[in-house]
Amino acid sequence: MASTFVFFLLSTLSLAFSPPEAEAQSLPPIVNGLSFTFYKSTCPKLESIVRKFLKEQFEKDIGLAAGLLRVHFHDCFVQGCDGSVLLDGSASGPSEKDAPPNLTLRPEAFKAINELRVLIDNACGRVVSCADVVALAARDSVFLSGGPQYRIPLGRRDGRRFATRNATLASLPAPTFNISTILSILSRINLDAADLVALSGGHTIGRSHCSSFSNRIFPSRDPTMNRAFFDHLRFTCPTASSTNTTPLDFRSPNAFDNKYYVDLVNREGLFTSDEDLFMNSKIKSIVQSFAVNQTLFFEKFVFSMVKMGQLGVLTGGKGEIRANCSARNDDKIAIWRAMEKEGDKAVY
Ligand code: HEM
Ligand SMILES: *[C@@H]1O[C@H](CO)[C@@H](O)[C@H](O)[C@H]1NC(C)=O
Ligand SMILES: *[C@@H]1O[C@H](CO)[C@@H](O)[C@H](O)[C@H]1NC(C)=O
Ligand SMILES: *[C@@H]1O[C@H](CO)[C@@H](O)[C@H](O)[C@H]1NC(C)=O
Ligand SMILES: *[C@@H]1O[C@H](CO)[C@@H](O)[C@H](O)[C@H]1NC(C)=O
Ligand SMILES: *[C@@H]1O[C@H](CO)[C@@H](O)[C@H](O)[C@H]1NC(C)=O
């Protein structure tokens, strides 16, 4: 009964608000407090500001799209999509001193979020959360790289808690983990195997450092890896400590498409966490179905992204709307700096 109602609600919503260019999309339930029209009256230009800015930035550096998509993933997996990943001093944020090894989030992505923060504030005042800016930036990174066009619910609030180093390490699966281990981590946040296969498709854009897959090429070839691909990776990464990088999807490094799954089928996945999706007899068939049908992949990716994008969100009066995405509002230094810049306009 309840599920029929939710289904009815969702189909009504999508009928009423879908942009004409979007195909009918099946979406997970929308969390209370989030909505597709959240900023309709308070910041009607929000989505066009984000899209225009990112389009310009990606013409200069398409790698930024991958950087922004990954920031949203890290934000949502570590204590929910609350923008804590952006906080200076958060374990997965820009602060060097607390960052666990191998997190390698791109500084350009944090910079772009702060620039968007300023553009949006200038147009609408301080009404849009940094967590929503991150979610929209990830959504547009997918679309502007050739992926699906889709709508996301908005209304997230920014968290006031830093992500600790321990929480970060415990929440983010490592690339060296096998699929059973990763599935048990995901089950704690209600994500399942179907979500894992679809979301891993985010690895169709972006790059990796050698250290993230050195376990598969040193001291010798992981037997599940294609031999020619191994030779190519050993050429890129002459030693395990090399700081070089390589594309996550060598077939089409900057295009958001289904080639990542073609890589996996050919045993050219980069991480253990990637290739093991194809080695797992229970979920191998999902990988194969995405490798032959990009439309199917896009549908499932959208579903799981909207699900991931609602993990542990703060809504209503919880949290705050940060003045500076890198600092909590009661951070005195940040307030002084923001006031110097904005004078009377600053509202706290
Ligand atoms: C299943 C668990 C996952 C693991 C173990 C994992 C692991 C990694 C690792 C190790 C890197 C490379 C870091 C480096 O060496 O520079 C990476 C990059 C990336 N990941 Fe994931 N990831 C996972 C899930 C996801 C999800 C769910 C998304 C988004 C939907 C995502 C999007 C990306 C992107 C776009 C990059 C490239 C970043 C860049 O070029 O700056 N990953 N991931
Ligand atoms: C992180 O990188 C270091 C070397 O830079 C390596 O020793 C360590 O095993 C890596 N950890 C993970 C989780 O990949
Ligand atoms: C973090 O984890 C390590 C190892 O599991 C543990 O020794 C340490 O006490 C933890 N620190 C905090 C602050 O919880
Ligand atoms: C996955 O890794 C865990 C931890 O290293 C290990 O206990 C388990 O046996 C592995 N599972 C498979 C199917 O390889
Ligand atoms: C690909 O997937 C889409 C979406 O689920 C489906 O409508 C279509 O029939 C599939 N195409 C093929 C050739 O199987
Ligand atoms: C935002 O906060 C960070 C971290 O505290 C600080 O380094 C930066 O200068 C602040 N930016 C502005 C514009 O106040």
Side-chain angles (χ1 to χ4, degrees):
M1 198 62 199
S3 67
T4 316
F5 176 68
V6 170
F7 176 75
F8 171 73
L9 201 67
L10 284 178
S11 22
T12 314
L13 276 175
S14 60
L15 276 181
F17 303 124
S18 280
E21 71 269 28
E23 288 169 34
Q25 274 157 349
S26 104
L27 292 180
I30 303 306
V31 164
N32 251 334
L34 298 186
S35 97
F36 290 100
T37 53
F38 196 82
Y39 298 111
K40 199 175 177 189
S41 59
T42 53
C43 196
K45 292 212 175 99
L46 172 63
E47 302 202 14
S48 60
I49 293 171
V50 174
R51 182 149 300 181
K52 179 166 177 285
F53 174 79
L54 291 180
K55 198 162 180 285
E56 287 160 10
Q57 298 300 309
F58 295 167
E59 275 158 20
K60 292 182 258 173
D61 172 20
I62 188 61
L64 177 61
L68 286 166
L69 177 56
R70 188 164 183 236
V71 163
H72 181 49
F73 157 57
H74 278 214
D75 188 21
C76 294
F77 264 54
V78 183
Q79 78 185 30
C81 318
D82 63 349
S84 60
V85 69
L86 305 172
L87 289 173
D88 213 355
S90 223
S92 51
S95 165
E96 289 298 320
K97 80 177 152 50
D98 297 323
N102 310 332
L103 285 182
T104 57
L105 294 168
R106 296 196 201 211
E108 296 85 352
F110 295 105
K111 186 165 167 277
I113 296 296
N114 278 327
E115 286 169 0
L116 276 169
R117 158 93 289 165
V118 171
L119 288 176
I120 295 164
D121 278 12
N122 287 346
C124 306
R126 187 162 309 132
V127 292
V128 181
S129 66
C130 296
D132 273 346
V133 176
V134 168
L136 278 171
R139 191 274 303 260
D140 281 5
S141 295
V142 168
F143 173 66
L144 293 170
S145 303
Q149 162 104 307
Y150 59 101
R151 299 171 56 80
I152 55 169
L154 298 168
R156 296 165 189 78
R157 307 264 300 173
D158 296 323
R160 303 184 34 76
R161 270 196 311 140
F162 291 103
T164 62
R165 180 193 169 92
N166 274 8
T168 302
L169 286 172
S171 312
L172 289 169
T176 51
F177 289 176
N178 65 32
I179 294 311
S180 26
T181 305
I182 294 181
L183 282 176
S184 72
I185 296 175
L186 263 61
S187 70
R188 302 200 299 250
I189 50 176
N190 285 322
L191 295 181
D192 57 24
D195 295 315
L196 174 62
V197 181
L199 290 172
S200 296
H203 290 171
T204 181
I205 56 173
R207 64 170 189 212
S208 167
H209 292 79
C210 294
S211 56
S212 302
F213 55 88
S214 58
N215 68 311
R216 300 194 66 216
I217 58 174
F218 293 104
S220 58
R221 180 177 63 96
D222 176 334
T224 66
M225 183 184 280
N226 172 297
R227 197 174 288 274
F229 188 60
F230 165 78
D231 289 342
H232 156 80
L233 292 179
R234 277 293 280 262
F235 183 77
T236 305
C237 309
T239 64
S241 61
S242 163
T243 53
N244 291 341
T245 63
T246 194
L248 292 174
D249 164 24
F250 78 101
R251 283 192 163 74
S252 55
N254 300 321
F256 197 101
D257 57 18
N258 67 338
K259 295 292 194 298
Y260 163 83
Y261 300 99
V262 177
D263 299 340
L264 299 189
V265 169
N266 287 290
R267 299 183 175 224
E268 293 155 338
L270 208 48
F271 307 138
T272 305
S273 61
D274 294 320
E275 197 56 58
D276 211 33
L277 295 170
F278 187 67
M279 294 302 139
N280 183 303
S281 56
K282 288 193 202 112
I283 56 183
K284 180 179 188 163
S285 62
I286 310 179
V287 172
Q288 286 167 322
S289 70
F290 291 171
V292 299
N293 189 338
Q294 179 166 283
T295 309
L296 181 64
F297 161 51
F298 281 4
E299 270 181 24
K300 303 291 183 193
F301 182 79
V302 167
F303 182 93
S304 295
M305 276 295 278
V306 173
K307 194 166 163 188
M308 182 180 88
Q310 303 187 85
L311 288 173
V313 289
L314 302 172
T315 58
K318 297 195 188 117
E320 63 187 11
I321 306 288
R322 268 179 227 148
N324 171 347
C325 291
S326 308
R328 299 183 300 189
N329 288 345
D330 67 359
D331 234 335
K332 289 208 174 60
I333 294 174
I335 290 178
W336 289 333
R337 293 207 182 131
M339 285 171 91
E340 275 167 27
K341 273 200 108 160
E342 303 191 18
D344 296 339
K345 247 188 87 217
V347 176
Y348 301 98

